[in-house]
Amino acid sequence: MSADSPSTDVPLPDFLSSSTSILLGKANDLFDEILEAAVEPFGLRSKDFIVLTAIDSIGPQSQQQLARTHGIDRTTMVSVVDGLERLGLVQRARNPDDRRKYAIGLTSEGQALLRHKLGPAMLNALDTFLAPFTHDEREIFNKFLWRLVHERGQAPDQGTGQGRVVPGGTVR
Amino acid sequence: MSADSPSTDVPLPDFLSSSTSILLGKANDLFDEILEAAVEPFGLRSKDFIVLTAIDSIGPQSQQQLARTHGIDRTTMVSVVDGLERLGLVQRARNPDDRRKYAIGLTSEGQALLRHKLGPAMLNALDTFLAPFTHDEREIFNKFLWRLVHERGQAPDQGTGQGRVVPGGTVR
DNA sequence: TATTGTTATACTCTATAACTATA
DNA sequence: TATAGTTATAGAGTATAACAATA
C-alpha cells in the first residue's frame, strides 16, 4: 500500500460522519424513509402525495404542468396519474379550451383522503423527522433550507464568489 | 368519501414550495448536482470519493466493511472497487488473517489524487453549496443536521436543544 | 455451517423516440 | 409546425440468488 505519499500539509478531507455533505444525505434518506412509510398504508408513494397536494392547492392542471412543476418527466407523469386515477383519487377531464390537454382534478374521494388522512399523516411524518428540534429551531431550520435553495446566484457574503446559477427550479 | 366538504375546517397541508420536506429534497438534489459535477472531471462519482476517503481515513478494509459502512450493497461494492482499481486508485490485497477478505487500500496515485485534487474539489463544492451562509451559520446548519441524524429515539428535548450529545465534530 | 467476493439475473425508476390528436 | 398525451423501449442503478473459496 502506498505510501510514498509525501504527507504534505494538504489537509485530509474530513467528510466522514460529521461532514455537512454526508449528514445532508443521511438526513434526506431518513426523511424519505419516514415519508414513504407514512403514505405506504394508502398504497401511495410520496410523489403521489405531492401531486395530489398540488392539485388541491392550485386546482385542475394538465399533466405537463404537473410534470414540469415537480421536475418529473411527462412520460412518468402518465403512470403517476394512471395510478391515482385507478385508485379513484383523481379524474381526467378534457380542457375545453385546449382539447389536447387534460384537466386533472381531485375526486371527492381524493380530496377527502388528502385532507383527512394523507395530510395529517404527512404532518405527523414531518413532526417525527423534526422531533429533535424545538418549535423555534424548526423555523430556523426551514429558513436555512429556504436560503440554501433560493439564495443562489447573488453574492452572499463570504467564501469564493463562485456561486453558481442553478437552472430550473423556480417554485412559487 | 362523500364529496360534501370542500370547505371543512381541516387545514390544507401546506407542504408546497416552502415546506421543509420539499426544501430538504431540493437542497439535497442541488448538492448532489454540485457534488457530481465536482468529481466528474476525474471520471468518478460521489460514491467513489466517499469510498476513497473512508480508506484514507480508516485504512485498508474489506469490501463488505466498506459496503456496510456506507449503506451500499456488497454486490454493488464489487463494481465500485472494480472501477477504482481500473483507474489505479485502489488495489486489492488479500487479508492474511482471513483469506476470504480483501484489504482494499489506496495506491500512491489514489492517495495523491484524493489529497491534492479530489479533496480540494469537494471542499470547493461544499463551499459553493453553502455560499448563502456565513461561517457561523454553516456551523449552526451542520449541528442541526447532526442532531437530525443522530438525536433519534430520545425525547424531543424541548429545552435549549443546543449542546448535549453533539460532539465537537469537525465542521467543514 | 457461515462468510467473502463474484456473477448472473431481475426489478425499479426514469428518460428517449415515435406515434395520435389536437392546435 | 408545435404541443399534450401515450406507448414501447432502453438505460441506469440496485437488489436477489446462487456459486466457489475460505473460515
Side-chain angles (χ1 to χ4, degrees):
Chain A
M1 145 123 327
S2 62
D4 90 308
S5 74
S7 180
T8 52
D9 302 317
V10 181
L12 196 157
D14 183 16
F15 274 107
L16 292 179
S17 76
S18 65
S19 76
T20 301
S21 41
I22 298 291
L23 289 173
L24 183 68
K26 287 191 178 184
N28 198 62
D29 289 348
L30 174 62
F31 186 54
D32 267 359
E33 282 178 34
I34 296 175
L35 219 59
E36 294 296 340
V39 294
E40 185 272 331
F42 305 98
L44 300 176
R45 309 293 298 270
S46 60
K47 188 179 301 178
D48 299 314
F49 173 80
I50 293 173
V51 169
L52 291 174
T53 305
I55 301 173
D56 190 50
S57 298
I58 304 176
Q61 300 156 70
S62 71
Q63 291 183 187
Q64 292 235 31
Q65 183 173 348
L66 285 171
R68 277 192 293 257
T69 304
H70 301 104
I72 303 172
D73 193 84
R74 60 178 180 149
T75 63
T76 303
M77 186 56 66
V78 174
S79 54
V80 172
V81 174
D82 279 350
L84 293 174
E85 193 180 39
R86 203 176 307 120
L87 291 171
L89 302 178
V90 305
Q91 57 190 6
R92 285 176 159 104
R94 279 291 167 188
N95 180 339
D97 296 332
D98 188 340
R99 288 175 44 73
R100 292 173 302 183
K101 302 180 182 177
Y102 283 135
I104 312 292
L106 295 186
T107 63
S108 52
E109 292 83 0
Q111 193 171 69
L113 183 73
L114 177 63
R115 299 192 176 187
H116 296 85
K117 303 283 186 177
L118 282 175
M122 298 295 283
L123 285 173
N124 186 62
L126 185 60
D127 187 68
T128 298
F129 176 65
L130 297 176
F133 293 163
T134 65
H135 176 75
D136 288 349
E137 287 170 340
R138 296 179 191 202
E139 295 214 334
I140 296 172
F141 184 66
N142 184 284
K143 283 202 178 74
F144 271 12
L145 288 179
W146 193 94
R147 292 172 56 198
L148 223 33
V149 171
H150 292 103
E151 285 184 11
R152 293 276 145 193
Q154 302 94 298
D157 18 53
Q158 61 164 192
T160 75
Q162 184 160 336
R164 70 170 56 192
V165 182
V166 179
T170 325
V171 180
R172 3 216 178 178
Chain B
M1 351 272 194
S2 339
D4 49 349
S5 53
S7 60
T8 41
D9 299 319
V10 181
L12 197 154
D14 182 16
F15 273 108
L16 290 179
S17 76
S18 64
S19 74
T20 300
S21 41
I22 299 290
L23 288 174
L24 184 68
K26 290 194 176 188
N28 198 63
D29 289 349
L30 174 63
F31 186 54
D32 267 359
E33 283 179 34
I34 297 175
L35 220 58
E36 294 295 342
V39 295
E40 185 270 331
F42 305 97
L44 299 176
R45 308 294 298 269
S46 61
K47 189 178 300 179
D48 299 315
F49 174 80
I50 293 173
V51 169
L52 290 175
T53 304
I55 300 173
D56 190 50
S57 298
I58 305 177
Q61 300 157 69
S62 73
Q63 291 184 188
Q64 291 236 30
Q65 184 174 347
L66 284 170
R68 276 193 293 258
T69 305
H70 303 103
I72 303 173
D73 193 85
R74 60 177 180 150
T75 63
T76 302
M77 186 55 66
V78 173
S79 53
V80 172
V81 174
D82 279 350
L84 293 174
E85 193 180 38
R86 203 176 307 119
L87 291 171
L89 302 178
V90 304
Q91 56 189 9
R92 286 175 159 104
R94 279 293 167 186
N95 180 337
D97 296 331
D98 186 340
R99 289 176 42 74
R100 292 173 303 183
K101 302 180 182 177
Y102 282 136
I104 311 293
L106 296 186
T107 63
S108 52
E109 292 83 1
Q111 193 170 68
L113 182 75
L114 178 63
R115 298 193 175 187
H116 298 289
K117 304 282 187 177
L118 283 175
M122 296 297 283
L123 285 173
N124 186 63
L126 185 60
D127 187 68
T128 298
F129 176 64
L130 297 176
F133 294 164
T134 66
H135 176 74
D136 286 351
E137 286 171 339
R138 295 178 192 201
E139 294 216 335
I140 296 171
F141 184 67
N142 182 284
K143 283 203 177 72
F144 272 12
L145 289 179
W146 195 94
R147 292 171 56 200
L148 224 32
V149 171
H150 292 103
E151 286 184 9
R152 292 276 141 196
Q154 297 102 310
D157 185 15
Q158 287 290 332
T160 69
Q162 268 302 9
R164 185 159 129 265
V165 202
V166 182
T170 329
V171 179
R172 246 180 230 173

